[in-house]
Amino acid sequence: MPSETMSARRLNRAAETVPPHAWFGVSAVFHYLGPSFAVLLFPAVGVLGVAWFRIASAAMIFAPITKPWRTLREADGRTRLLLAGLGLCLAVMNTSFYLALDRLPMSLVAAMEFVGTIGVALYGLRTGRNVLALALTVVGVFVLIDVKWATDPWGLFWSALNAALFAGYILLGHRAAASGANQGVERLGAAMAIAFVIVMPIGIVEAAKAFGAIELVLAGIGVGLCSSVIPYVCDQLAMSRLPRASFALLLALLPATATVIAAMVLAQIPTVQDLLGIVLVMVGIALHRPADI
């Protein structure tokens, strides 16, 4: 039996055996580990350089596993269009995310990012119960992150662009996973290769500053692994089984996850307001019932 077939079966079995919410949980944890590494690299490498490292290292890790050249060669015209769209989305989304973080607090960027997913969640609502679930979740997120708006127009522009593209990532990523987890990951690898081609001329000059320091190069690879490889693969495993509206609603867990991680790792004990926000989010998620869409 070819090794590719064995790998495909193992990946699909993992998606089918492990609950999709567990895969999302892993993605949520690494969703915040990656940016923490990235922000530390901004002074040494530059914002665009960090974006380059994130996409370049992810593409490098995916390439021998997913063989993007084979995926692109065997894809039909419609699939190639999907891969190109997802690749462009990943390149611009990741770059705008870091440009926003360089100017705005992460809580504000996270708030705008979640707002971008509300429309996706609304699309899948079928019952009054799910409307209530969404309302509780939205209120909980805004209580939790305690948004304070900024007056930096460029920061708000990059944050809004990131939020819009994050919603696009959900739609395109869910379509990539429609034929199963294995094919979704293979398409993700091809899209990441396309993203690398797009971001190459944009961030290579700043990234080159780190080439002489092995610790910076390793840190850049760590950003790609934690921010793009592990969470995006876990997203594909979850998306292969969850309706996209349900996946969009689960994204409300990200601020709550960040609060828990901060309490455990950084000893930042949550306030009563934080706990209230977490409870509202958890109740909203518990009330929601997926619809087949």
Side-chain angles (χ1 to χ4, degrees):
M1 182 177 296
S3 59
E4 291 83 3
T5 302
M6 286 297 295
S7 299
R9 291 193 174 188
R10 287 171 182 168
L11 200 57
N12 289 330
R13 189 180 302 118
E16 293 167 2
T17 303
V18 179
H21 298 77
W23 290 120
F24 182 87
V26 175
S27 173
V29 170
F30 280 93
H31 187 86
Y32 282 97
L33 286 179
S36 66
F37 289 140
V39 171
L40 294 175
L41 282 176
F42 283 174
V45 185
V47 178
L48 296 179
V50 174
W52 184 92
F53 264 110
R54 172 176 178 171
I55 294 172
S57 57
M60 176 188 67
I61 294 169
F62 275 123
I65 302 170
T66 62
K67 298 178 174 58
W69 54 88
R70 183 186 62 190
T71 302
L72 289 167
R73 185 181 65 246
E74 296 177 354
D76 57 26
R78 189 171 183 177
T79 302
R80 287 176 182 170
L81 189 60
L82 169 64
L83 296 176
L86 183 56
L88 178 62
C89 181
L90 290 172
V92 181
M93 179 182 72
N94 290 336
T95 303
S96 60
F97 176 65
Y98 288 149
L99 287 169
L101 284 184
D102 191 44
R103 292 173 172 269
L104 300 177
M106 186 176 290
S107 60
L108 175 54
V109 178
M112 294 181 69
E113 197 170 60
F114 176 69
V115 169
T117 68
I118 291 178
V120 181
L122 282 171
Y123 180 82
L125 296 181
R126 294 290 186 273
T127 65
R129 175 180 180 139
N130 283 352
V131 173
L132 176 61
L134 178 64
L136 288 173
T137 303
V138 171
V139 172
V141 167
F142 282 94
V143 168
L144 181 61
I145 61 181
D146 189 22
V147 177
K148 294 180 176 61
W149 289 96
T151 56
D152 187 323
W154 275 111
L156 291 173
F157 168 77
W158 292 121
S159 186
L161 180 60
N162 170 67
L165 290 172
F166 193 57
Y169 161 71
I170 297 171
L171 297 174
L172 294 173
H174 198 273
R175 186 170 297 178
S179 299
N182 174 67
Q183 192 167 77
V185 172
E186 288 182 351
R187 290 174 173 176
L188 175 62
M192 194 62 70
I194 294 172
F196 173 61
V197 173
I198 295 170
V199 82
M200 170 63 81
I202 299 173
I204 185 62
V205 174
E206 288 194 356
K209 301 173 185 177
F211 290 169
I214 186 63
E215 65 276 8
L216 291 179
V217 172
L218 291 175
I221 294 173
V223 168
L225 180 65
C226 292
S227 298
S228 291
V229 177
I230 296 175
Y232 288 169
V233 168
C234 289
D235 284 349
Q236 285 297 311
L237 294 171
M239 285 177 176
S240 67
R241 293 185 57 194
L242 285 173
R244 60 175 176 264
S246 299
F247 184 86
L249 186 61
L250 278 175
L251 291 169
L253 288 174
L254 294 179
T257 304
T259 302
V260 172
I261 291 174
M264 296 176 62
V265 178
L266 303 176
Q268 297 177 357
I269 306 304
T271 65
V272 173
Q273 179 176 324
D274 293 332
L275 294 175
L276 174 61
I278 292 173
V279 168
L280 287 171
V281 169
M282 297 302 179
V283 171
I285 297 297
L287 279 175
H288 177 71
R289 289 293 178 269
D292 294 328
I293 61 174

